Amino acid sequence: MAKSDINIHIETDENKIPESINWSAKDGGVENESAKAAMLSIWDHKTQETLRIDLWTKDMPVDEMKKFFHQTLVSMASTYKRATDDDKMAATFNDFCDYFAEKLDLKKE
């Protein structure tokens, strides 16, 4: 059985506010890359709940946070489609992503 590690290193200030985020995923060719934000969701099948870690550095610009959320939503819509093969709800999710981008005046990239 193969094993793969993904590591996230967070440096915080005295109030536990993230100052820096670095991550590595050697199997993916990522070594100590800097990031301004991270969202991690883990499914606990025993409790049927999602466990989450949402982090962003204090110098993460609000305009980048809006793009980060939009791109995360688009990615979730794609993952939802692949995981469930539910075309109708995936299309609805994508419609919401378009609405979200429109309301925030984001341009698709």
Side-chain angles (χ1 to χ4, degrees), residues 33-89:
E33 287 291 325
S34 176
K36 294 286 183 191
M39 291 184 195
L40 177 64
S41 298
I42 304 288
W43 179 248
D44 183 334
H45 68 277
K46 294 174 195 159
T47 63
Q48 296 287 291
E49 293 177 334
T50 300
L51 309 174
R52 296 182 18 231
I53 299 173
D54 300 325
L55 300 169
W56 58 93
T57 59
K58 54 175 125 180
D59 64 342
M60 173 76 167
V62 172
D63 63 324
E64 287 184 30
M65 183 60 89
K66 290 176 181 181
K67 289 178 187 176
F68 177 56
F69 264 86
H70 177 253
Q71 291 176 14
T72 299
L73 290 170
V74 170
S75 177
M76 288 174 62
S78 176
T79 301
Y80 178 83
K81 167 65 173 98
R82 284 192 330 273
T84 66
D85 203 30
D86 183 343
D87 291 323
K88 185 176 179 181
M89 189 52 69

Side-chain angles (χ1 to χ4, degrees), residues 8-22:
I8 303 171
H9 300 278
I10 314 298
E11 286 188 28
T12 63
D13 66 13
E14 63 279 354
N15 296 314
K16 305 229 180 217
I17 306 293
E19 290 192 338
S20 68
I21 301 170
N22 290 299

